[in-house]
Amino acid sequence: MEDKTFMATFQAIIFFLIVMTVILIGFTYAIGKVISRQEVDPAADNAAILEHISPVGQVAVSAGGEASGPRSGKQLAETVCQTCHGAGVLGAPKLGVKADWEARIARGVDTILSNAVNGIAAMPPRGGDASITDEELKAAVDYMLQSVGSKL
Ligand code: HEC
């Protein structure tokens, strides 16, 4: 008789635990669904956050915008290269000042171009801007040379 009571109680407890387990699994699953629905598109969230924290005004520091195709020689020469070649910083030959360029041109314009690509003395490779393509750099050098009546 006692055994029977014990078994009945025991079975009831086991049954109760099984039911609770199933309920908890279902509950966990439901919570998971709710959370994943909130995180549908983290990229969209990031875009929204960036939008909110972006400054009101933005200063364009690039020499013409990477997205809009190659920058012209003039654009580069008057921005990136101008930093040194405008006033002759570090002994850079000045834009439009023929005397600064004559000895260099005498060594050959091909040498001038390869020095602009690889750098020479205080002149950094590609004027220190690795994003400048071969084509753009060539145009910039050509623009500089044309400013003193020569060309590539
Ligand atoms: C950090 C300063 C600096 C920047 C920026 C710079 N240059 Fe120069 N550049 C120099 C200096 C200094 C020299 C002279 C090097 C020497 O011969 O001693 C020079 C020399 C040159 C020469 C002559 C090379 C030769 O063979 O004599 C060319 C061409 C040139 N730069 C092109 C460019 C172009 C194009 C850009 C922009 C994309 C540029 N530089 C940006 C400093 C600069």
Side-chain angles (χ1 to χ4, degrees):
M1 200 59 167
E2 246 180 34
D3 276 359
K4 265 193 178 166
T5 315
F6 173 77
M7 280 308 285
T9 312
F10 187 70
Q11 277 172 359
I13 289 172
I14 295 290
F15 180 73
F16 174 74
L17 287 176
I18 288 171
V19 169
M20 280 309 285
T21 307
V22 170
I23 288 173
L24 285 175
I25 288 172
F27 190 62
T28 312
Y29 181 75
I31 286 182
K33 273 214 147 170
V34 170
I35 290 174
S36 69
R37 207 176 302 134
Q38 284 172 350
E39 292 174 353
V40 171
D41 190 356
D45 281 0
N46 287 345
I49 290 167
L50 285 176
E51 173 78 27
H52 280 122
I53 64 172
S54 69
V56 176
Q58 287 187 350
V59 179
V61 288
S62 81
E66 290 72 28
S68 53
R71 291 159 285 187
S72 74
K74 181 175 156 65
Q75 264 178 327
L76 281 175
E78 289 176 356
T79 53
V80 182
C81 321
Q82 178 78 9
T83 313
C84 297
H85 288 270
V89 175
L90 302 167
K94 293 185 283 294
L95 199 67
V97 178
K98 206 169 178 177
D100 286 3
W101 289 90
E102 270 167 351
R104 298 170 192 277
I105 292 167
R107 285 199 297 270
V109 289
D110 289 344
T111 308
I112 288 182
L113 179 60
S114 76
N115 285 341
V117 174
N118 303 311
I120 172 176
M123 160 75 192
R126 294 176 196 273
D129 184 344
S131 78
I132 297 175
T133 65
D134 286 350
E135 181 197 357
E136 291 171 335
L137 190 71
K138 201 171 167 187
V141 172
D142 193 39
Y143 180 83
M144 284 181 164
L145 289 173
Q146 284 186 34
S147 79
V148 293
S150 184
K151 64 182 172 65
L152 271 181

